[in-house]
Amino acid sequence: MQQHLPGIWRLTFGEPELATPVSKRYHEPDRAGLASLPVPNEAPFTLDRITGQKITRGFVVELPLGATEQIYGLGLQLLSFNQRGMKKTLRVNSDPVVNLGDSHAPVPFYVSTAGYGVLVDTARYATFYIGNTQKVRDRHTGSLVSDQASIVFSTQDLQDRRPHEDESTVTVEIPVAAGVDIYIFTGPTMREAIQRYNLFSGGGCFPPRWGLGVWYRCRADFDQQQVLQLADSFRADEIPCDVLGLEPGWQTHSYSCSFAWSGKFLEPRRLADALTERHYHMNLWTHAFTHASSPLYNELMPYAGDYEVWQGLVPDLTLHETRQALGRFFAHQHVDMGAAGYKLDECDNSDFNSSPWSFPELSHFPSGVDGEQMHSFFGLAFQETVDAIFREHNQRSYHDVRSSHALASPYSFVLYSDLYDQRDFIRGVVNSGFSGLLWTPEVRHAESVEDLVRRLQTVVFSPQAQINAWYIKNPPWKQWDRQRNNADDFSPDWAEVQAICRDTLRLRMRLLPYLYSSFYRYTSEGIPPFRALVMDYPGDPNTWMIDDEYLMGDRLLVAPLIAGQKSRPVYLPQGTWHDFWTNATYTGGTTIDYSAPLTIIPLFIKDNTVLPLALPTLHTADPQSLLLDVRIYGEGLLPITLIEDDGLTYDYRRGRLNKVTLSWDAAAGLGSMKRDGDADVPYYSINQWQV
Amino acid sequence: MQQHLPGIWRLTFGEPELATPVSKRYHEPDRAGLASLPVPNEAPFTLDRITGQKITRGFVVELPLGATEQIYGLGLQLLSFNQRGMKKTLRVNSDPVVNLGDSHAPVPFYVSTAGYGVLVDTARYATFYIGNTQKVRDRHTGSLVSDQASIVFSTQDLQDRRPHEDESTVTVEIPVAAGVDIYIFTGPTMREAIQRYNLFSGGGCFPPRWGLGVWYRCRADFDQQQVLQLADSFRADEIPCDVLGLEPGWQTHSYSCSFAWSGKFLEPRRLADALTERHYHMNLWTHAFTHASSPLYNELMPYAGDYEVWQGLVPDLTLHETRQALGRFFAHQHVDMGAAGYKLDECDNSDFNSSPWSFPELSHFPSGVDGEQMHSFFGLAFQETVDAIFREHNQRSYHDVRSSHALASPYSFVLYSDLYDQRDFIRGVVNSGFSGLLWTPEVRHAESVEDLVRRLQTVVFSPQAQINAWYIKNPPWKQWDRQRNNADDFSPDWAEVQAICRDTLRLRMRLLPYLYSSFYRYTSEGIPPFRALVMDYPGDPNTWMIDDEYLMGDRLLVAPLIAGQKSRPVYLPQGTWHDFWTNATYTGGTTIDYSAPLTIIPLFIKDNTVLPLALPTLHTADPQSLLLDVRIYGEGLLPITLIEDDGLTYDYRRGRLNKVTLSWDAAAGLGSMKRDGDADVPYYSINQWQV
């Protein structure tokens, strides 16, 4: 069996469909990145143990599953973590309140603790049976009961008759298809298998520096003046914020869009300029369903599916011409006006909605793709449409999107959901890293001050620090209750709550250099910046079920508290860990019970870490955000490499980037900073070393 | 277009699959019954407006949907009622906690207030889009925006551009299939369309008289002695009860079954005899998955699917040989031992379970049916397996089953679910009548005395008065809390609660003659004994959304209260209605607010009804249960016809049946009883006339 790419095997069964995630890919594999990974000569298991079979309903693939293997991934699974024993159908859907596999971003890719990943290259709603089916044994010989038809069996008898645990399988059923390509990604470790998948996808995304700052979406009906008032109030209240999200109001026709600025924002360019002046980046809400009132309507008509959504066309974004048409319009009308990014809403599906609104799976699109496939493709194709605009402007960007799929890692888009359970939101952070996805556990409203602060703490330790206040007039720290907030009825203790929230957001700003370099490893090495513990410690069975702790980068373990919890169990993997807040030291390999007051999110730093913390600023354009306090944990034996570039363009790809390594010499009690590169970009500098 | 049967049109599109509900039917249509319905010459709409199309994913059928038509049915939909605007995928599943269409008993049949029904003859998981899709309009001319590409439209403009409401469709997508048969059932009214569907199915079922009495399932681990103690305690406590359900314990091997009596019941025949002596009927729990320890295992092996469930075989019950093998064994081992019926558990599917346990949809069965089709067929085929045993014994029976499908009305099987929301359970009673199904909102445990009594009231006004105490030791009226119940820790007020429950169960016994004759209309005319208001009043828009009131028979409107409600709105259709409890009179066509103390379930009697109430007895074998108090409402202008037969066998089909009509002469103030027939069966007689 030949390798398709280093450490990647492709197995073709039957006659695969024409339209698949790989065949429709927009990014080439990062071959250089792949070449830098260790390459085993052998597949993770004997590949001829994988079988494929055409059945009436479609195509079935069976893969071996070892006795102790644990399986993760399948996209943004908000309601489950370890997938062994589950049956999951990867349907695209918003608001999936049950654990059937439906997801904003189902991804037919899973990874095993045995150190490999499997991509089933299909845009169909494939069903994965993960070690929970068993074929009839000894069908022809009947040997199980050959010589004893009596009804009494001892327990031992029964045990002897049970199959060996290691005879299990992952069985994947792909509807409609007459064949499928399976890609096997080797490790040797699970994390390396994921890296390989992400590099195969084209590498991880690298957001602009401002994208990692604080995001705030204004109330949907805010006009120009209200947006600017809010922008000014954040500066006055010393609330860090880099991005303001707003609703342009072009969906007011039956909810499908014109994409043309409405009366809400009469001078969009002036608004954008005023925001830029105040160091804000403007993010625009939109979806893709095109109303008859849109100037694009006639142009898109030949490129639309045969069913409407909200009386609007569904553009076939898998076609280059369609993306070009929409992209051109967005570029001229929005990006040239100053838009720095989008929130791509409603691009998933709506079976869980009480009035399902999206196009049916039986739809037909001009590209030949049907509605089922289009639901899988739509979110990513929409991302590509928008991303291409900014790439052509040599402008990095960071966006929100409500749907994604396989091979998504190159896209600087963060998933979100209208669901709102904080445990599920934390699980989203933990899970998304298995599948090349990013996820924000955004804060909207809260049930209490405690709920607000706990949610904000989680959001600050996530790919995107999003406060989505689209239905409240005032920031939630002034009043967490939605109705009172909209009545301008502030909490008596709002100033105190605001101070807590300000400190929480400052923590985000302080961690930006560390986070930014973690994202650089995502783009260059495919290592997800946010990871389940099991991804780094697959050999430790204690990590196999932990879906409420995660790593941010290599050095930081986050164990969020949720409202109602005064303390929580925290599992610390092997090694020594340091409490970020108290500097207390813990020996890992055990579960501790950790209590924390409201202002504290449990954070643990890996032993020997050199941890840079920026001075907290109100936005990333402030040069002070490059001034570092460097904390030394343990002996400081693990230097850290930070990334310097312009933070805005793709010039880093052409070498306009420095790597800055911070090291600690424990014996001398001295820190040092070593700059590799001489790019003319803003430099980090040291404020102080903190032992 | 020719009629297939009187008032039934069959339209064939493409090449229908071999295995469908109609092709696999076990009962012939009731041609005599069908002939007795009014037969229109014309189809309910121009049938050539129905179109069919093969697509890659399967087959699509589009049917017209009028502007004001309301759509009901699609089987046991516990979470929705009026289906207009919905998208439903008819997957077989237990515990469907979301409104996606999953159901223990999905039925691809719907009815319209316009007075017709549609059966899509498929065992596939078809998706129904009911008036919630819209094809792109003016695709080729682009006339919508022809001369105005401007972005500003007035509301009126938008209105003008909207499609006419009556251009909507019901679109049905059938996976895999290359064609499908569609059956259209005319009314002229919705109820007659349903009657026609039920008669096409073979007519409604006619349970034995004892089946309509009170059912009680014992705690699962009760042995022979405990069962008999409980049986005796009910007689001592004067609790009406006709059926005791018990678990034979043959599923103790990995949960698949041996079907052989276990050590729990060492003398099953003696137990059955002892129960018969006490006038109880014995109902046995089972499922169909066959463990290697079963004497049937080797015999079933060639007739099993290729996947196991709980290490047991899945017998292909769509095959005659398989049903024969299982049926023979059940007949000899259980029915000949005295079993009067079964509870057929686990015959659905398990996607909502945290550990999905059932056979995969990709399974293959010897009949050529795949797992998806088998899930649709399995429940009904299991019913046929069991029903055939009793038919061959000329013994009517009544059972529980957890899955069903199309053409189910001839089966004396009542659906149940492990879900437990009382509103949903009431909706189940209301909905099941649209689809040839019966449903019990069984009582298990309760949150309070109020919850217990309110649930019991609903259950008493349902097809099967089931108390399912499988996890409590003592009757719930002695202690509603599960844990305390099992600790024999009775409520201080248990005697009082028991008295309320006894009275509630007595009400069931009093209504038996009325209910029995309502079931006779089900078997002979196809009229469901339990019906949504809209089924009898489709022209009244006030009934279109009422999913918490229903008719029992023709004369009785039930509006259950649930715990926490002191009163509720009750919509009374056109006409005069009488309060069962107070004799107060209401003029219909309006919604009243009805308050009721705990002991009262709101019940309204149609004006002019002659309503027979039996003397309350402890079981149906008591001759007193044929002694009637006859209540006269209004002028008593609506005589009622009761059914006399042996209550046990199918002899009524050969004429061993009398129809007894009770009439009231208001002028004379005299009631009369007229017996049509001279069958030698137990006779009703009058205790008193109550004006």
Side-chain angles (χ1 to χ4, degrees):
Chain A
M1 193 77 64
Q2 261 203 314
Q3 292 185 37
H4 172 64
L5 283 166
I8 304 174
W9 283 261
R10 181 176 65 196
L11 291 87
T12 299
F13 294 96
E15 305 222 2
E17 293 189 283
L18 292 179
T20 70
V22 172
S23 77
K24 291 258 178 197
R25 65 187 301 160
Y26 309 110
H27 287 264
E28 284 300 301
D30 177 352
R31 287 166 198 274
L34 284 171
S36 71
L37 286 177
V39 180
N41 290 319
E42 287 187 17
F45 49 81
T46 316
L47 294 180
D48 60 14
R49 291 179 63 198
I50 308 178
T51 61
Q53 192 197 350
K54 173 90 189 80
I55 64 168
T56 318
R57 285 165 45 90
F59 203 83
V60 175
V61 177
E62 269 189 25
L63 302 104
L65 181 67
T68 59
E69 277 183 66
Q70 310 301 310
I71 300 294
Y72 304 88
L74 302 183
L76 182 74
Q77 296 294 332
L78 290 175
L79 300 165
S80 61
F81 176 59
N82 188 329
Q83 301 296 333
R84 188 165 183 138
M86 304 235 175
K87 172 185 177 183
K88 287 286 167 70
T89 300
L90 298 190
R91 284 180 293 255
V92 181
N93 262 313
S94 59
D95 311 334
V97 293
V98 284
N99 187 22
L100 298 175
D102 298 86
S103 167
H104 298 281
V107 178
F109 174 71
Y110 66 83
V111 289
S112 164
T113 47
Y116 66 90
V118 175
L119 173 67
V120 179
D121 185 31
T122 182
R124 297 282 168 202
Y125 295 173
T127 297
F128 288 67
Y129 297 85
I130 305 158
N132 71 331
T133 57
Q134 180 61 58
K135 283 203 170 160
V136 169
R137 285 160 288 223
D138 301 310
R139 185 171 179 88
H140 303 295
T141 66
S143 71
L144 270 186
V145 288
S146 57
D147 53 357
Q148 31 187 334
S150 73
I151 62 164
V152 183
F153 286 86
S154 72
T155 314
Q156 190 54 49
D157 272 351
L158 280 169
Q159 281 298 344
D160 293 346
R161 283 153 202 278
R162 290 189 71 160
H164 296 298
E165 285 285 359
D166 60 5
E167 284 177 19
S168 200
T169 55
V170 175
T171 303
V172 187
E173 186 184 20
I174 303 131
V176 179
V180 69
D181 284 325
I182 304 287
Y183 292 82
I184 309 290
F185 300 81
T186 59
T189 69
M190 182 160 75
R191 199 179 83 180
E192 284 162 317
I194 291 164
Q195 287 180 251
R196 215 176 289 275
Y197 168 73
N198 287 337
L199 292 168
F200 174 74
S201 306
C205 69
F206 191 33
R209 270 186 81 235
W210 59 259
L212 301 181
V214 175
W215 290 50
Y216 190 97
R217 297 204 84 76
C218 309
R219 198 177 128 108
D221 59 0
F222 272 14
D223 63 15
Q224 196 144 337
Q225 195 190 345
Q226 288 168 305
V227 169
L228 288 175
Q229 272 171 2
L230 185 84
D232 287 334
S233 78
F234 284 164
R235 298 300 179 233
D237 291 342
E238 298 191 323
I239 301 294
C241 190
D242 268 276
V243 183
L244 279 179
L246 47 92
E247 287 201 19
W250 52 54
Q251 80 284 23
T252 46
H253 313 285
S254 345
Y255 203 58
S256 54
C257 291
S258 72
F259 309 118
W261 292 91
S262 71
K264 266 178 84 180
F265 299 103
L266 291 170
E267 305 162 299
R269 195 187 302 263
R270 274 191 60 183
L271 172 61
D273 290 346
L275 289 175
T276 304
E277 217 169 84
R278 290 161 174 81
H279 304 293
Y280 287 101
H281 297 262
M282 185 170 80
N283 178 289
L284 303 182
W285 178 96
T286 194
H287 62 63
F289 307 119
T290 309
H291 188 256
S293 65
S294 172
L296 270 171
Y297 187 80
N298 275 348
E299 191 177 351
L300 290 182
M301 180 66 96
Y303 302 109
D306 54 351
Y307 279 84
E308 295 183 346
V309 173
W310 294 310
Q311 302 179 45
L313 299 177
V314 182
D316 184 343
L317 295 175
T318 71
L319 292 173
H320 182 70
E321 297 85 335
T322 319
R323 294 197 302 275
Q324 284 275 311
L326 203 66
R328 246 190 329 260
F329 191 85
F330 277 30
H332 294 153
Q333 297 295 315
H334 314 150
V335 180
D336 292 349
M337 291 285 196
Y342 291 90
K343 170 172 176 153
L344 305 184
D345 211 11
E346 320 285 21
C347 48
D348 34 38
N349 196 5
S350 65
D351 290 352
F352 289 83
N353 198 288
S354 56
S355 306
W357 46 258
S358 200
F359 54 89
E361 277 80 2
L362 55 84
S363 302
H364 176 79
F365 286 84
S367 61
V369 157
D370 65 34
E372 173 187 12
Q373 296 171 308
M374 184 57 85
H375 277 302
S376 299
F377 287 136
F378 201 69
L380 203 63
F382 201 8
Q383 293 173 53
E384 167 61 21
T385 305
V386 162
D387 199 51
I389 303 169
F390 291 93
R391 289 200 311 263
E392 281 162 26
H393 283 63
N394 186 27
Q395 191 180 334
R396 272 149 67 204
S397 55
Y398 206 32
H399 316 259
D400 298 312
V401 68
R402 216 173 68 189
S403 185
S404 200
H405 205 260
L407 310 184
S409 60
Y411 291 97
S412 291
F413 285 76
V414 181
L415 291 158
Y416 61 93
S417 174
D418 287 348
L419 301 175
Y420 205 48
D421 181 275
Q422 201 194 340
R423 283 181 200 274
D424 297 346
F425 271 32
I426 293 167
R427 194 179 295 112
V429 178
V430 177
N431 266 345
S432 50
F434 290 118
S435 306
L437 303 173
L438 300 173
W439 158 259
T440 178
E442 61 176 32
V443 175
R444 296 197 290 267
H445 65 281
E447 297 300 319
S448 63
V449 168
E450 185 191 8
D451 187 35
L452 171 64
V453 173
R454 291 308 188 194
R455 286 178 178 276
L456 200 64
Q457 287 169 348
T458 300
V459 107
V460 151
F461 287 88
S462 84
Q464 190 182 71
Q466 175 85 260
I467 298 147
N468 181 8
W470 75 273
Y471 48 62
I472 52 175
K473 226 167 126 181
N474 302 285
W477 40 83
K478 296 204 169 166
Q479 174 55 263
W480 51 265
D481 180 82
R482 180 173 170 171
Q483 214 169 348
R484 288 188 179 177
N485 187 301
N486 283 323
D488 296 321
D489 175 7
F490 293 177
S491 312
D493 58 350
W494 73 265
E496 191 188 326
V497 178
Q498 178 173 280
I500 296 173
C501 292
R502 182 194 294 122
D503 283 349
T504 305
L505 297 175
R506 276 184 175 158
L507 189 56
R508 172 76 175 195
M509 300 308 284
R510 300 211 71 185
L511 283 160
L512 267 191
Y514 173 78
L515 187 56
Y516 194 64
S517 67
S518 301
F519 266 99
Y520 185 75
R521 297 197 69 185
Y522 190 35
T523 196
S524 58
E525 301 171 58
I527 300 179
F530 292 84
R531 305 197 289 280
L533 296 195
V534 70
M535 207 190 294
D536 285 38
Y537 304 92
D540 178 354
N542 294 310
T543 66
W544 291 354
M545 301 303 281
I546 295 182
D547 61 355
D548 59 355
E549 298 177 33
Y550 52 93
L551 301 171
M552 177 165 113
D554 288 296
R555 315 289 174 85
L556 224 151
L557 188 153
V558 189
L561 284 158
I562 68 169
Q565 286 182 322
K566 299 297 167 211
S567 68
R568 56 159 290 171
V570 178
Y571 180 72
L572 296 171
Q574 212 67 40
T576 298
W577 295 85
H578 302 271
D579 187 316
F580 177 84
W581 304 97
T582 66
N583 278 324
T585 297
Y586 299 93
T587 302
T590 184
T591 298
I592 61 169
D593 187 61
Y594 192 91
S595 305
L598 183 58
T599 54
I600 299 294
I601 175 172
L603 286 181
F604 303 89
I605 313 296
K606 193 178 271 187
D607 195 27
N608 288 318
T609 288
V610 174
L611 181 69
L613 296 173
L615 295 202
T617 57
L618 294 184
H619 51 79
T620 53
D622 185 336
Q624 297 258 47
S625 67
L626 299 170
L627 202 52
L628 306 174
D629 295 334
V630 187
R631 290 198 188 174
I632 306 302
Y633 291 93
E635 301 292 303
L637 299 172
L638 297 175
I640 192 155
T641 299
L642 299 183
I643 299 300
E644 289 174 349
D645 78 325
D646 61 21
L648 295 168
T649 73
Y650 289 95
D651 290 354
Y652 75 91
R653 288 186 177 169
R654 291 182 297 272
R656 201 159 159 252
L657 169 145
N658 304 322
K659 293 184 177 179
V660 176
T661 302
L662 308 178
S663 311
W664 179 251
D665 180 339
L670 278 178
S672 65
M673 180 189 234
K674 184 174 158 284
R675 177 163 291 108
D676 183 8
D678 59 357
D680 173 26
V681 292
Y683 278 13
Y684 284 115
S685 57
I686 306 293
N687 186 50
Q688 56 176 329
W689 296 87
Q690 299 176 323
V691 188
Chain B
M1 194 78 64
Q2 261 203 316
Q3 293 185 36
H4 172 65
L5 283 166
I8 304 174
W9 283 260
R10 181 175 65 195
L11 290 85
T12 299
F13 294 96
E15 304 222 3
E17 294 189 282
L18 292 178
T20 70
V22 172
S23 78
K24 291 258 178 196
R25 64 186 302 160
Y26 309 109
H27 286 264
E28 284 299 302
D30 177 351
R31 288 164 199 275
L34 284 171
S36 72
L37 287 178
V39 181
N41 290 319
E42 287 187 17
F45 50 81
T46 315
L47 294 181
D48 59 15
R49 291 179 64 197
I50 309 178
T51 61
Q53 192 197 349
K54 173 91 189 79
I55 64 168
T56 317
R57 285 166 45 90
F59 203 83
V60 176
V61 177
E62 269 189 24
L63 302 104
L65 181 68
T68 59
E69 277 183 65
Q70 310 302 309
I71 300 294
Y72 304 88
L74 303 183
L76 181 73
Q77 296 294 331
L78 290 176
L79 299 164
S80 61
F81 176 60
N82 188 330
Q83 301 295 336
R84 186 162 186 141
M86 305 235 177
K87 172 185 177 183
K88 288 285 167 70
T89 300
L90 298 189
R91 284 181 292 255
V92 180
N93 261 314
S94 60
D95 310 333
V97 292
V98 284
N99 187 21
L100 298 175
D102 297 86
S103 167
H104 297 280
V107 178
F109 173 71
Y110 66 83
V111 289
S112 164
T113 48
Y116 65 92
V118 175
L119 172 67
V120 179
D121 184 31
T122 183
R124 298 282 169 201
Y125 295 174
T127 298
F128 287 69
Y129 297 85
I130 304 158
N132 70 333
T133 57
Q134 180 61 57
K135 282 204 169 159
V136 169
R137 284 159 288 221
D138 302 310
R139 186 173 179 86
H140 302 295
T141 66
S143 71
L144 271 186
V145 288
S146 57
D147 52 358
Q148 31 188 334
S150 72
I151 62 165
V152 183
F153 286 86
S154 71
T155 315
Q156 191 52 51
D157 270 353
L158 281 168
Q159 282 296 346
D160 293 347
R161 281 153 205 277
R162 291 188 71 161
H164 295 299
E165 287 284 1
D166 59 6
E167 284 177 18
S168 199
T169 55
V170 174
T171 304
V172 187
E173 186 185 19
I174 302 129
V176 180
V180 69
D181 284 325
I182 304 286
Y183 292 82
I184 309 290
F185 300 81
T186 59
T189 68
M190 181 159 74
R191 198 178 85 179
E192 283 162 316
I194 291 164
Q195 287 179 251
R196 213 176 291 274
Y197 168 74
N198 288 336
L199 293 168
F200 174 74
S201 306
C205 69
F206 191 34
R209 270 186 82 233
W210 57 261
L212 301 181
V214 175
W215 290 50
Y216 190 97
R217 297 204 83 76
C218 309
R219 198 176 129 108
D221 60 1
F222 272 15
D223 63 14
Q224 195 144 337
Q225 194 190 347
Q226 288 167 306
V227 170
L228 288 175
Q229 271 171 1
L230 185 84
D232 286 335
S233 77
F234 284 164
R235 297 299 178 236
D237 291 341
E238 298 191 323
I239 301 294
C241 188
D242 269 275
V243 183
L244 279 180
L246 47 92
E247 287 201 19
W250 51 55
Q251 80 285 21
T252 47
H253 313 285
S254 346
Y255 203 58
S256 55
C257 291
S258 71
F259 310 118
W261 291 93
S262 71
K264 267 179 82 179
F265 298 104
L266 291 170
E267 304 162 299
R269 195 187 302 264
R270 273 191 61 183
L271 172 62
D273 289 345
L275 288 175
T276 304
E277 216 170 83
R278 291 161 174 81
H279 304 293
Y280 288 101
H281 298 262
M282 184 170 78
N283 178 289
L284 302 183
W285 178 96
T286 195
H287 62 64
F289 307 120
T290 309
H291 189 255
S293 66
S294 173
L296 269 171
Y297 187 80
N298 274 350
E299 190 176 352
L300 290 182
M301 180 66 96
Y303 302 109
D306 54 351
Y307 280 84
E308 295 184 344
V309 174
W310 294 309
Q311 301 179 46
L313 299 177
V314 183
D316 185 343
L317 295 175
T318 72
L319 292 172
H320 182 71
E321 296 86 336
T322 320
R323 294 196 303 275
Q324 285 274 311
L326 203 66
R328 245 188 332 258
F329 191 86
F330 278 29
H332 295 154
Q333 297 295 315
H334 315 149
V335 180
D336 291 350
M337 292 284 197
Y342 290 90
K343 170 173 174 152
L344 305 183
D345 211 11
E346 321 284 22
C347 47
D348 34 38
N349 195 6
S350 66
D351 290 352
F352 289 83
N353 198 288
S354 57
S355 307
W357 45 258
S358 199
F359 55 88
E361 276 81 1
L362 55 83
S363 303
H364 176 79
F365 287 84
S367 61
V369 158
D370 64 33
E372 173 188 10
Q373 296 170 310
M374 185 56 86
H375 277 302
S376 299
F377 288 135
F378 201 69
L380 204 62
F382 202 7
Q383 292 173 53
E384 167 61 21
T385 305
V386 162
D387 199 51
I389 304 169
F390 291 93
R391 288 200 310 262
E392 282 162 26
H393 283 63
N394 187 27
Q395 189 179 334
R396 272 150 65 203
S397 55
Y398 205 32
H399 316 259
D400 298 311
V401 69
R402 216 173 67 188
S403 185
S404 200
H405 204 260
L407 311 183
S409 61
Y411 291 97
S412 292
F413 285 76
V414 182
L415 290 158
Y416 60 93
S417 174
D418 287 348
L419 302 176
Y420 205 46
D421 182 275
Q422 201 193 340
R423 282 181 199 276
D424 296 346
F425 271 31
I426 294 166
R427 194 179 295 111
V429 178
V430 177
N431 266 345
S432 49
F434 291 119
S435 305
L437 304 173
L438 300 173
W439 158 258
T440 177
E442 61 177 32
V443 176
R444 297 197 289 267
H445 64 281
E447 296 302 317
S448 63
V449 168
E450 185 191 8
D451 187 35
L452 171 65
V453 173
R454 290 309 188 193
R455 285 178 178 276
L456 199 65
Q457 287 168 350
T458 300
V459 107
V460 152
F461 288 89
S462 84
Q464 189 183 69
Q466 174 85 261
I467 299 148
N468 181 8
W470 75 274
Y471 48 62
I472 53 175
K473 226 166 125 181
N474 301 285
W477 40 84
K478 296 204 168 166
Q479 173 56 264
W480 50 266
D481 179 82
R482 180 173 170 172
Q483 215 169 346
R484 288 189 178 177
N485 187 301
N486 283 323
D488 296 322
D489 175 8
F490 293 176
S491 312
D493 58 350
W494 75 264
E496 191 188 324
V497 178
Q498 177 173 280
I500 296 173
C501 292
R502 181 194 294 122
D503 282 349
T504 305
L505 297 174
R506 275 183 176 158
L507 190 55
R508 172 76 175 194
M509 299 307 283
R510 301 211 71 186
L511 283 160
L512 268 190
Y514 173 78
L515 187 56
Y516 193 65
S517 68
S518 300
F519 266 99
Y520 185 73
R521 296 197 69 186
Y522 190 35
T523 197
S524 57
E525 300 171 57
I527 301 179
F530 293 84
R531 305 196 289 281
L533 295 195
V534 69
M535 208 191 294
D536 285 37
Y537 303 92
D540 178 355
N542 294 310
T543 67
W544 290 353
M545 300 304 282
I546 295 181
D547 60 356
D548 59 356
E549 297 178 31
Y550 52 92
L551 300 171
M552 177 166 115
D554 288 295
R555 316 288 175 85
L556 224 151
L557 188 152
V558 189
L561 283 159
I562 67 170
Q565 285 183 324
K566 299 295 165 213
S567 68
R568 57 160 289 170
V570 178
Y571 180 72
L572 296 170
Q574 213 68 40
T576 298
W577 295 85
H578 303 269
D579 187 317
F580 178 83
W581 303 98
T582 67
N583 278 323
T585 297
Y586 299 93
T587 303
T590 185
T591 299
I592 61 169
D593 187 63
Y594 192 90
S595 307
L598 183 59
T599 53
I600 298 294
I601 175 171
L603 287 181
F604 303 88
I605 313 297
K606 193 179 272 187
D607 195 28
N608 287 319
T609 287
V610 174
L611 181 70
L613 296 174
L615 296 202
T617 57
L618 294 184
H619 51 79
T620 53
D622 184 336
Q624 296 258 48
S625 67
L626 298 170
L627 202 52
L628 306 174
D629 294 334
V630 187
R631 289 199 189 173
I632 306 303
Y633 291 93
E635 300 291 303
L637 300 173
L638 297 174
I640 193 156
T641 299
L642 298 182
I643 298 301
E644 288 174 349
D645 78 328
D646 61 23
L648 295 168
T649 74
Y650 289 95
D651 290 354
Y652 75 90
R653 289 187 177 167
R654 291 183 296 274
R656 202 160 159 252
L657 170 144
N658 304 321
K659 295 184 178 176
V660 176
T661 301
L662 307 178
S663 312
W664 180 251
D665 180 339
L670 277 177
S672 64
M673 181 190 235
K674 185 173 158 285
R675 178 165 290 106
D676 182 7
D678 58 358
D680 173 26
V681 292
Y683 277 13
Y684 284 114
S685 57
I686 305 294
N687 186 48
Q688 56 177 327
W689 296 86
Q690 298 175 323
V691 189

